[in-house]
Amino acid sequence: MKLMWIKYVLLVLLGFGAGLIIAGAFIAFISTIGIFPRFAAQTHTIKHLKLYETFILLGSTLGNLISVYSIPVPLGIAGLAILGFFSGVFVGSLVSALAEVANTIPVFSRRASIRKGLPYVLISIALGKGIGSFVQYFIM
């Protein structure tokens, strides 16, 4: 019986440690591409950057715990809509930052010979992603 208890403790520590490593790597990746400092600069709230970092850390940890332990979070329809909106903003920002870091948009515009209307191309990409997500989640 004592051996079984030690086995479970080791499994919990291993799982929690692996989750912390993955979450830490993801946060380091996001920090490296500079999403949050750019948001703070755009919204003129750069003086609150430590607060952003604190909430990022808390949100990552809380999300990790909710995911690992399958903690139910009763949000209701309105809460899910708000969560979905903010999740979409985050994913869109992450993709935009990655595209900017990789310089994919300038390369694409040069190769496709797009001189005017690039904002319309970007809006079309964003709308296509939004409509595709809607179809996937609500129709399929």
Side-chain angles (χ1 to χ4, degrees):
M1 186 69 170
K2 190 173 187 176
L3 184 62
M4 189 66 102
W5 182 79
I6 293 172
K7 181 179 176 182
Y8 285 127
V9 168
L10 288 176
L11 283 173
V12 166
L13 290 175
L14 180 68
F16 191 71
L20 284 176
I21 289 171
I22 297 299
F26 182 67
I27 296 302
F29 171 70
I30 288 174
S31 298
T32 301
I33 62 176
I35 292 176
F36 299 109
R38 186 170 299 136
F39 278 158
Q42 290 290 325
T43 59
H44 307 293
T45 56
I46 198 77
K47 61 185 175 190
H48 300 293
L49 194 57
K50 290 277 187 198
L51 185 64
Y52 286 144
E53 292 170 354
T54 302
F55 281 120
I56 292 165
L57 180 63
L58 290 174
S60 302
T61 304
L62 185 64
N64 193 13
L65 290 173
I66 289 171
S67 176
V68 168
Y69 295 111
S70 300
I71 300 170
V73 183
L75 297 176
I77 299 296
L80 285 176
I82 292 169
L83 179 67
F85 174 76
F86 284 115
S87 297
V89 167
F90 173 75
V91 170
S93 301
L94 181 63
V95 168
S96 298
L98 283 172
E100 188 175 318
V101 167
N103 288 327
T104 57
I105 293 172
V107 170
F108 171 73
S109 65
R110 269 185 271 136
R111 294 222 174 137
S113 299
I114 299 174
R115 301 287 178 236
K116 296 180 181 177
L118 190 58
Y120 299 115
V121 172
L122 295 176
I123 290 171
S124 299
I125 292 170
L127 285 174
K129 175 69 176 160
I131 291 169
S133 296
F134 179 81
V135 168
Q136 178 184 1
Y137 289 120
F138 294 110
I139 296 177
M140 295 182 140

